[in-house]
Amino acid sequence: MQTIVRAADAAEFLALVPELFGFQPTNSMAVIAFRGKRTCGALRFDLPTSVPDRQLKRFLSQQLGTMCKIPGIDGVLAVVYTDEPFGTETTPPCSALLAAFRNRAVHMGLVVKETLCIASDGWASALDPDTPLGGHPLTEIPEVTLGLPGVCRPTGDQHGEADRVPPDLARVERVGTAHGRLTRLLDGLNDAPAPCGVGGAREVEAAEVYRRDIAALEPLIVPTLLFEHALAVGANGLSAEEVALVLIALRGPDIRDVALMQWAYGADYGQVALSGADTLAAARALGVDQELIEAAAAIEVDDSEASCLDGVAESARRMSGEGPRPDHSRISRAIALLLDVVDAAPRSARPAPLTVLSWLNWAVGHNTRADDCARGALAIEPGYGLAGLMITMLEHGRFPEWLFERPEHDEGSVDA
């Protein structure tokens, strides 16, 4: 069911802008797209600084061109967020930028509904000739919300949440210990033959230890169950060993991409990505040998090569931003999960979850956060392939195609 909120004036509309984005923009221009009187999309970009007029026109044309991919868009509203003050002026800071934006939008056939500025000490419309000295008080912007189910007023900016709790150092230590132990365990099982358990007490004990080790690593055999469990309970519901197992599962690119698709599209799609021969291939990508696979679980293999190739191609298409719209609720929960997993992870194990975080943020249009995560992964492992690919897509201004499609069920809009 669509939720429609009516904004009575500019101040009330400004109160709703952070919820349209899912964060509080800072030092940014926020552009809201309209279809008739209702919002239908939003785009944020950093404030351009010290650029010639011709380059500014080209930049604004590119941003507006991106907005025009939204079906039915016919109008725009721009809000500049800046740390600059009004001081004793009546003209808002960045008024030249707002004027340039207005000119380019009109040139492209769009109705400019309003151009607003929120400065450090006041706010105003750039179209209002009666703005008081120093702008309107920021206290005039009311505390109203869209009232969408399960949606809270954003507390962070485009880079991340402002109220994240620092990681529990004791938990970080437990996860690091578990990660090291399980990684050595996996490597040791692959390097040594399985004990037969026949002979004296020493052989029997070795076989029992082997069985316990197999049990500890068993979640890696069908990681889709581990991923769905992690999403359901969140990081706080996972033991240190389970967090470590998630990190180990994500270290192989095949399994990492299965997790990414599963968290975005659902458990069923994750199972498709890991079905049949894909299950064996993915387990081997983790470094698990055939003997361990057979000892840990009985796996049915679908040997339809064509089906496998179709699944790989479809996942690649979705990862590039084409295909059906992912589940926003699942992505939000996966982002919350992985932020906590990264906080608890040993530094060397962070590139994979950081890169998955990058893609998940990109999938919902949070490109700045996506860029921060990808660069974080590359700072640890400069050659990490998917993180480098994410940076390339982001630097070229690529957005997922589903962001420009009209959703089957509108999540909410503002009538202004």
Side-chain angles (χ1 to χ4, degrees):
M1 180 178 179
Q2 184 181 22
T3 301
I4 300 173
V5 178
R6 288 175 171 80
D9 53 29
E12 199 165 284
F13 189 90
L14 287 173
L16 299 172
V17 169
E19 282 193 57
L20 293 174
F21 282 92
F23 55 83
Q24 174 65 59
T26 59
N27 291 309
S28 307
M29 176 175 273
V31 183
I32 314 300
F34 280 81
R35 188 183 298 121
K37 295 180 65 178
R38 295 179 184 171
T39 60
C40 59
L43 176 69
R44 186 214 69 86
F45 51 87
D46 293 339
L47 292 177
T49 56
S50 303
V51 295
D53 289 346
R54 181 176 297 179
Q55 187 175 340
L56 179 60
K57 289 179 180 179
R58 186 183 307 116
F59 173 77
L60 292 173
S61 295
Q62 290 172 345
Q63 305 306 319
L64 286 163
T66 298
M67 295 291 285
C68 286
K69 294 176 68 176
I70 299 172
I73 179 177
D74 56 16
V76 289
L77 180 152
V79 184
V80 162
Y81 293 85
T82 177
D83 290 338
E84 294 183 33
F86 268 88
T88 57
E89 301 293 326
T90 60
T91 302
C94 302
S95 56
L97 172 62
L98 287 168
F101 173 86
R102 185 168 60 252
N103 291 337
R104 296 315 300 165
V106 170
H107 179 76
M108 296 175 70
L110 296 170
V111 175
V112 179
K113 293 185 173 286
E114 183 62 279
T115 53
L116 302 163
C117 175
I118 297 184
S120 62
D121 56 355
W123 73 273
S125 164
L127 304 179
D128 182 6
D130 299 320
T131 299
L133 291 175
H136 301 285
L138 294 174
T139 53
E140 288 186 3
I141 301 175
E143 291 289 332
V144 296
T145 68
L146 287 172
L148 298 179
V151 177
C152 301
R153 190 169 184 83
T155 59
D157 63 11
Q158 59 267 21
H159 293 283
E161 296 300 320
D163 57 354
R164 279 191 55 74
V165 178
D168 179 351
L169 295 182
R171 180 171 171 80
V172 171
E173 184 177 356
R174 290 195 300 271
V175 170
T177 300
H179 182 266
R181 179 176 63 82
L182 292 172
T183 299
R184 290 190 298 272
L185 189 59
L186 179 61
D187 294 342
L189 288 175
N190 287 331
D191 292 341
C196 63
V198 177
R202 181 177 297 179
E203 287 76 11
V204 172
E205 182 181 356
E208 180 59 30
V209 170
Y210 182 80
R211 282 193 291 271
R212 289 200 302 268
D213 292 346
I214 289 287
L217 295 171
E218 193 173 62
L220 296 177
I221 306 306
V222 188
T224 49
L225 299 179
L226 174 64
F227 296 147
E228 202 61 24
H229 169 65
L231 188 67
V233 303
N236 290 334
L238 297 176
S239 67
E241 287 73 16
E242 287 172 324
V243 173
L245 285 168
V246 169
L247 290 168
I248 292 171
L250 293 178
R251 73 181 186 177
D254 291 338
I255 299 290
R256 177 204 63 205
D257 295 348
V258 167
L260 189 153
M261 290 287 98
Q262 177 174 340
W263 284 330
Y265 287 101
D268 289 344
Y269 190 77
Q271 199 57 47
V272 167
L274 200 65
S275 63
D278 287 340
T279 303
L280 291 176
R284 292 193 190 99
L286 286 170
V288 184
D289 65 18
Q290 181 68 28
E291 186 175 3
L292 177 56
I293 292 170
E294 293 174 351
I299 300 174
E300 294 182 6
V301 178
D302 174 9
D303 49 47
S304 171
E305 184 177 355
S307 176
C308 258
L309 292 175
D310 288 345
V312 170
E314 177 61 19
S315 291
R317 190 170 75 94
R318 295 187 186 196
M319 286 185 67
S320 68
E322 300 178 4
R325 181 187 295 267
D327 186 324
H328 195 289
S329 174
R330 287 181 65 88
I331 286 181
S332 296
R333 285 186 286 139
I335 288 173
L337 164 70
L338 287 173
L339 285 171
D340 289 336
V341 167
V342 168
D343 282 347
R347 187 174 187 273
S348 62
R350 292 178 181 176
L354 278 171
T355 303
V356 175
L357 270 171
S358 177
W359 189 92
L360 293 171
N361 276 288
W362 176 73
V364 294
H366 292 176
N367 283 19
T368 300
R369 295 182 184 184
D371 185 80
D372 290 343
C373 291
R375 293 187 188 279
L378 291 174
I380 298 169
E381 189 173 333
Y384 199 81
L386 184 57
L389 179 60
M390 291 302 306
I391 293 295
T392 299
M393 291 198 300
L394 291 162
E395 288 181 342
H396 284 80
R398 180 170 175 79
F399 289 88
E401 292 301 315
W402 53 72
L403 293 180
F404 303 101
E405 298 172 357
R406 186 180 299 192
E408 293 182 8
H409 305 286
D410 289 338
E411 295 179 349
S413 65
V414 179
D415 193 355

